[in-house]
Amino acid sequence: MQTMQKSLDEIYQENLQFWDKAWQRVSKPHKELPKLPYIHELTRKLKKYQVKKVLDLGCGSGWLSIFISKYGFDVTGIDASKPAIDLGKIWAEEENLNVNFLACDLLNIPFKENSFDAIVCNSVLEHFRFDQAKIIFETIHKILSEKGFLFGCFDKVGTGKGEYFELEDSTHIYTDEIRKGMMLRNYSDEELKTLMKDFDILSFDKNSYGSRLVWTRKK
Ligand SMILES: C[S@@+](CC[C@H](N)C(=O)[O-])C[C@H]1O[C@@H](n2cnc3c(N)ncnc32)[C@H](O)[C@@H]1O
């Protein structure tokens, strides 16, 4: 394990550069849906609770935003990587769907209070330090409407091969060629529940890969 010689800000910027480079290598939207059974249940719940406006946090090239928008929801997808957002825009245009894709950092979400009825987030929180995750959850709480919903899939990560050094809060910073700069942090169940202290947890399930599928409602 190497020791940390860079500032937290430099490390964070390098993480953003990692994502930009990763998405720059993708030349067209990958349209095959991941095999995640929960997504069908998710749209059923959004319909049941008469959700209209949905925000997809860290949407990548937009598969979840696109999927949800096909059910008639008003969807906004945000991601720090402009190349990813550009792919989402191309995809939405090709399918004649009206999804609002926007490049922005989750630490600087530009929406006002009560902007969304539901927020979804698939495999994104794992790329933030714990102190940053707290900021994101505070923002999510603010921009959700009264009794708005939050659905998150939080993966079990950091157990595979790879070279990295660790920050004080156990965030891994990868140094190997493939993931150089990427931040990755494994969140325990308890930490997730702490982050969601201002939400009622409606269900907290684990799939066979150890991912936590969490469905919550703003208190
Ligand atoms: C593992 S991918 C998941 C993408 C998508 N949610 C999915 O399910 O395929 C993580 C995503 O988080 C984005 N991301 C990383 N750091 C971010 C940040 N600070 N702000 C916004 N998006 C970020 C990356 O660009 C990447 O698209």
Side-chain angles (χ1 to χ4, degrees), residues 12 15-16 19 23 56-60 63 78-81 84 104-107 122-124 127-128:
Y12 185 59
N15 165 67
L16 293 179
W19 285 109
W23 282 114
D56 181 8
L57 291 182
C59 61
W63 71 267
I78 60 174
D79 197 286
S81 168
C104 83
D105 190 330
L106 297 195
L107 294 177
N122 186 70
S123 307
V124 179
H127 301 293
F128 292 88

Side-chain angles (χ1 to χ4, degrees), residues 7-187:
S7 71
L8 288 179
D9 189 49
E10 275 175 300
I11 290 171
Y12 185 59
Q13 292 309 319
E14 286 180 11
N15 165 67
L16 293 179
Q17 285 161 18
F18 161 82
W19 285 109
D20 254 7
K21 280 191 202 144
W23 282 114
Q24 271 160 13
R25 287 195 290 270
V26 183
S27 57
K28 55 181 184 194
H30 176 69
K31 296 191 178 177
E32 197 186 323
L33 274 184
K35 290 184 179 49
L36 297 171
Y38 75 75
I39 58 179
H40 303 285
E41 179 63 17
L42 174 62
T43 48
R44 269 196 293 277
K45 281 182 172 149
L46 296 177
K47 277 259 177 265
K48 178 177 160 193
Y49 290 105
Q50 299 180 334
V51 162
K52 290 194 170 50
K53 295 186 77 179
V54 183
L55 175 65
D56 181 8
L57 291 182
C59 61
S61 58
W63 71 267
L64 185 56
S65 301
I66 298 266
F67 176 76
I68 293 175
S69 84
K70 286 182 178 169
Y71 287 80
F73 300 102
D74 176 352
V75 184
T76 298
I78 60 174
D79 197 286
S81 168
K82 186 171 179 303
I85 288 298
D86 288 344
L87 289 168
K89 286 182 179 169
I90 292 169
W91 188 353
E93 206 174 295
E94 283 173 2
E95 304 230 4
N96 211 12
L97 291 165
N98 189 16
V99 180
N100 177 27
F101 281 114
L102 182 75
C104 83
D105 190 330
L106 297 195
L107 294 177
N108 283 301
I109 296 178
F111 304 111
K112 294 194 193 118
E113 289 180 11
N114 303 319
S115 293
F116 299 95
D117 308 314
I119 295 181
V120 298
C121 181
N122 186 70
S123 307
V124 179
L125 187 76
E126 300 81 353
H127 301 293
F128 292 88
R129 302 189 312 259
F130 191 75
D131 62 315
Q132 296 176 316
K134 275 191 191 163
I135 295 171
I136 294 171
F137 272 83
E138 280 164 20
T139 310
I140 290 175
H141 192 267
K142 195 182 82 185
I143 63 177
L144 267 178
S145 57
E146 199 182 332
K147 298 276 175 199
F149 294 93
L150 166 67
F151 171 79
C153 173
F154 307 102
D155 297 326
K156 182 178 175 192
V157 292
T159 52
K161 284 187 185 157
E163 292 162 23
Y164 56 84
F165 62 88
E166 259 184 40
L167 301 182
E168 263 178 35
D169 77 342
S170 304
T171 304
H172 292 181
I173 313 298
Y174 283 85
T175 53
D176 56 75
E177 217 30 56
I178 298 174
R179 291 186 283 182
K180 194 170 176 13
M182 187 181 82
M183 289 170 47
L184 196 64
R185 184 175 193 281
N186 192 48
Y187 282 82

